[in-house]
Amino acid sequence: MSDIPSPSQGQASAPHLTLADVVPAVPRPLVDVVGLVAGIAWLAVVAAALGWEDVGDWPRTPTFAAAAGLVAATFIVLAIGSRWLGAASRWLDRAALWLIVLGLFFTLWQLASAKLGWLPLPFFPPPQALLEVYLDDFPRLGESILASVKLQLWGYSIGAVAGFLTGVSIGWSQRAAYWVHPVLRFIGPLPAGAWLPIAFFAFPSSWSAGIFLIALATGFPVTVLTWSGILSVNPAYYDVARTLGARSRFLVLKVAIPAALPHVFVGLFMALGTSFSVLVVAELLGVKAGLGFYMQAAQGWGDYANLYAALLVLALLCSGAVSLLFAARDRFLSWQKDLVTW
Amino acid sequence: MVTATIQTPEAPRVAGASLDIEDVSHGFELDGTVLEVLDDVSLHVAPGEFVALLGPSGCGKSTLLRLIAGLEPPTRGTLSEAGQPITGPHPSRVVVFQDPTLFPWRTVRRNVAVGPEAQGTLKQSQQRIDEALALVGLTKFAKAYPHQLSGGMAQRVALARALVNDPDVLILDEPLGKLDSLTRITMQAELVSLWRREGFTAILVTHDVEEALFLANRVIVFSDRPARVKADIPVDLPYPRHRGDPRLAELRRQVLGLLGLDADW
Ligand SMILES: Nc1ncnc2c1ncn2[C@@H]1O[C@H](COP(=O)(O)OP(=O)(O)OP(=O)(O)O)[C@@H](O)[C@H]1O
Ligand SMILES: [Mg+2]
């Protein structure tokens, strides 16, 4: 950077002092101590896995120990090289406390279930049993994941689009509201699960019944919030647009809908939660595929490791879906101020 | 440097339209009773005239502007623009509202572009949009969102959004009310030169007597609600005007008297 501000910079980026310019930078410590402790905590996981005999038959114990060892080694390298390794080391610095707690948790879990048998088996399997599921039952698990994701995507998309369109029409048109509102009030609050017995014989396949149930659970909150979003649009926006020559098409597409989008997002978020619960219930009770079905089968066979493994995947999927939704919001609603971060 | 081609002709073009407000009365229904806001208002504005409306707060000035804009039909009476009855909003009559009411999801530039976009002339209007932004001094903020602007800047965007439509009648509802006094004086001068250059008809509501006298050909003073025309004062001074003109001070005294403030100053 030269000292002379270029004319193109102008006022918008006038010289701006930050704290970093005034306070002399403190040199980063040679070793990230907390990060190092995290590495040691994960070495404890290795020690716990290798130091005692297993009380049961878990062929993946060495693999588990090796994986934990790899994690520990990574943390130690990042901690020692914190001066040179930039972003990754900064991540370690931020996450270190959590990583320590996780290391201790795995150590305790390892000891309590695989080594000392404090936790009753087979209900509380050790971590290597879960690892075994991921490594050795992956084809079946992966297929279930795919089935769940597909079902959820179809159901949620159909429900969200239908809910959005219904919400916009009843928010905009009195006549649409006249016909749809009573139906919405009567059917909407009914938990989607109550449709389950009917859905499974009324639809040609349990798959389409599942889509119906998820779409229903998604559609209601999206409809109601889109509707309320459209109704709460500041009427002055319409006045402005109309005096500038806007016709109803412009008023709906370019005024009402963008103004209502923050509400629509809340609806989509709420719908995501309910639709997940319907997804799992549908798969537990009728759909012959997916993570719910996998868990149901695992429980039937007493394969508790499979049950936990699937549950963990489900948690990751749900949380990932919410993150995705928030990312979409940050993209499309960046004009809002004071957004909740996820 | 590239010299921009000059778009506006040297001679003032008379693009303004006449406005005729005939015996207009208007009321609002409030809890079953009718609140009379305008009482038999008649007003004739010649093409290209600059008329300022003054009156006590809440007397019905904004309501009259809404009727002129065509946003609401009057309870009684008729309004017409260039001889044609006003039946609804039309981009030839553009309003700068009391609140800037920008669309928060659009950037400054896209807010200014709303008119051309709604009228389907967005492609041809790109240069006009940039000119309007430059006129209100917000070229640097073209990509900012409304929540990143100050109140005065937002009001300037609203002004640019109106001007970009090249209106025949520009309806201004206290457009400079939120500006600091320095920007206000600059914008007043800008408004006058713009009006003289473009030749539109201007209807301005303001609380500022000096502003009304500095800008307008005629000042209409309204009574308390329901608003009636209390006085119609021609301001027979040539432009550009000077704030220190003794004739302005004299008119100011007269208008303040009509507004019931003579004893106070
Ligand atoms: N939509 C409405 N419904 C009911 N009453 C209204 C409505 N709009 C305005 N009024 C009433 O009409 C009267 C005049 O309002 P208006 O906004 O025209 O006043 P104004 O002269 O512009 O005042 P100010 O100078 O404070 O802006 C007020 O008493 C207001 O309460
Ligand atoms: Mg007003």
Side-chain angles (χ1 to χ4, degrees):
Chain A
M1 282 279 291
S2 76
D3 290 345
I4 307 150
S6 69
S8 65
Q9 279 185 313
Q11 298 157 309
S13 55
H16 184 79
L17 283 182
T18 64
L19 205 58
D21 298 324
V22 186
V23 181
V26 181
R28 282 179 70 87
L30 203 56
V31 173
D32 177 359
V33 179
V34 193
L36 204 59
V37 174
I40 292 167
W42 280 80
L43 282 180
V45 179
V46 180
L50 298 180
W52 285 266
E53 281 294 309
D54 283 345
V55 297
D57 175 27
W58 293 295
R60 287 296 187 175
T61 303
T63 322
F64 175 73
L70 200 66
V71 171
T74 311
F75 291 170
I76 290 168
V77 168
L78 286 177
I80 291 175
S82 75
R83 276 210 182 166
W84 303 282
L85 291 172
S89 291
R90 273 196 298 282
W91 171 81
L92 177 70
D93 204 27
R94 256 184 297 126
L97 295 177
W98 262 107
L99 297 174
I100 294 171
V101 169
L102 275 178
L104 294 179
F105 170 75
F106 270 105
T107 310
L108 221 71
W109 180 11
Q110 180 64 237
L111 292 175
S113 79
K115 310 300 179 183
L116 305 173
W118 289 346
L119 296 175
L121 288 169
F123 305 108
F124 298 100
Q128 52 265 50
L130 268 68
L131 188 64
E132 187 183 334
V133 174
Y134 291 131
L135 293 176
D136 301 340
D137 197 30
F138 187 73
R140 219 160 58 85
L141 188 61
E143 204 177 291
S144 305
I145 293 171
L146 221 62
S148 283
V149 168
K150 230 169 94 186
L151 187 62
Q152 169 72 17
L153 265 180
W154 273 108
Y156 185 74
S157 307
I158 292 172
V161 170
F164 177 74
L165 293 179
T166 315
V168 170
S169 6
I170 59 180
W172 191 256
S173 144
Q174 297 276 332
R175 190 177 311 169
Y178 175 83
W179 289 109
V180 178
H181 189 200
V183 179
L184 202 65
R185 282 182 64 169
F186 183 64
I187 308 250
L190 189 67
W195 290 92
L196 213 88
I198 303 172
F200 281 125
F201 74 71
F203 277 84
S205 64
S206 65
W207 158 258
S208 52
I211 290 181
F212 167 75
L213 293 172
I214 295 169
L216 203 65
T218 306
F220 179 58
V222 174
T223 303
V224 171
L225 275 140
T226 305
W227 179 32
S228 90
I230 299 274
L231 290 186
S232 64
V233 175
N234 180 357
Y237 290 160
Y238 298 129
D239 288 347
V240 167
R242 285 172 62 210
T243 58
L244 292 173
R247 306 294 177 82
S248 18
R249 199 183 138 80
F250 188 95
L251 294 181
V252 177
L253 296 180
K254 305 252 173 126
V255 180
I257 288 176
L261 275 188
H263 281 80
V264 176
F265 169 78
V266 175
L268 286 173
F269 175 68
M270 286 168 48
L272 203 54
T274 43
S275 67
F276 281 139
S277 68
V278 173
L279 169 77
V280 174
V281 170
E283 287 181 347
L284 284 175
L285 296 183
V287 181
K288 297 274 174 276
L291 283 168
F293 176 68
Y294 183 94
M295 284 160 71
Q296 170 81 352
Q299 198 219 13
W301 291 101
D303 295 334
Y304 288 92
N306 298 56
L307 187 58
Y308 290 114
L311 195 63
L312 210 63
V313 171
L314 200 60
L316 283 176
L317 284 180
C318 294
S319 156
V322 174
S323 300
L324 219 63
L325 191 64
F326 270 82
R329 180 206 59 172
D330 290 346
R331 169 106 174 63
F332 290 109
L333 298 181
S334 57
W335 51 268
Q336 274 188 296
K337 35 181 179 174
D338 312 327
L339 288 177
V340 174
T341 55
W342 179 253
Chain B
M1 280 289 301
V2 183
T3 41
T5 46
I6 295 158
Q7 297 265 302
T8 42
E10 289 300 315
R13 87 202 153 96
V14 182
S18 64
L19 269 181
D20 295 292
I21 300 165
E22 296 278 5
D23 307 323
V24 163
S25 298
H26 197 68
F28 290 107
E29 208 151 317
L30 271 181
D31 309 324
T33 62
V34 176
L35 178 76
E36 291 296 342
V37 176
L38 296 174
D39 180 19
D40 215 7
V41 173
S42 290
L43 188 64
H44 300 275
V45 181
E49 209 174 5
F50 198 133
V51 175
L53 311 181
L54 282 170
S57 177
C59 75
K61 304 180 296 292
S62 296
T63 306
L64 181 60
L65 294 193
R66 286 180 65 82
L67 300 184
I68 296 173
L71 289 169
E72 281 172 59
T75 316
R76 279 185 305 283
T78 56
L79 298 103
S80 42
E81 178 198 11
Q84 298 294 314
I86 293 172
T87 52
H90 191 273
S92 67
R93 282 171 272 120
V94 176
V95 190
V96 179
F97 289 90
Q98 208 164 347
D99 285 324
T101 336
L102 303 179
F103 297 143
W105 57 90
R106 285 175 171 246
T107 59
V108 166
R109 194 174 191 286
R110 297 199 59 230
N111 263 290
V112 174
V114 165
E117 197 176 322
Q119 297 155 38
T121 58
L122 190 57
K123 271 217 184 92
Q124 307 90 287
S125 307
Q126 295 301 330
Q127 194 182 345
R128 275 198 76 83
I129 294 168
D130 290 327
E131 285 168 2
L133 274 172
L135 187 73
V136 296
L138 288 174
T139 305
K140 283 224 169 74
F141 290 87
K143 291 199 176 108
Y145 281 95
H147 78 262
Q148 299 165 318
L149 303 178
S150 72
M153 285 157 78
Q155 195 56 273
R156 274 145 66 197
V157 177
L159 194 60
R161 176 177 64 185
L163 291 175
V164 91
N165 298 286
D166 194 14
D168 296 340
V169 180
L170 184 62
I171 303 167
L172 302 152
D173 197 348
E174 296 183 44
L176 310 181
K178 285 190 179 154
L179 304 185
D180 65 280
S181 51
L182 278 179
T183 317
R184 199 180 162 108
I185 288 172
T186 324
M187 290 297 294
Q188 285 171 356
E190 281 292 346
L191 207 57
V192 168
S193 64
L194 196 79
W195 164 68
R196 298 216 311 151
R197 200 170 66 219
E198 305 273 322
F200 50 74
T201 305
I203 311 283
L204 168 82
V205 164
T206 175
H207 277 130
D208 183 342
V209 176
E210 272 174 59
E211 181 174 282
L213 293 170
F214 182 71
L215 296 174
N217 297 127
R218 269 164 78 194
V219 173
I220 313 288
V221 181
F222 285 108
S223 69
D224 232 324
R225 194 185 56 236
R228 262 170 292 106
V229 177
K230 203 166 164 186
D232 185 338
I233 303 159
V235 185
D236 46 1
L237 284 173
Y239 297 89
R241 292 174 178 169
H242 301 283
R243 282 163 212 276
D245 196 317
R247 175 80 183 120
L248 281 185
E250 201 179 304
L251 283 167
R252 178 163 180 251
R253 188 186 298 264
Q254 187 190 349
V255 171
L256 283 173
L258 284 164
L259 289 168
L261 286 169
D262 44 345
D264 296 342
W265 87 290

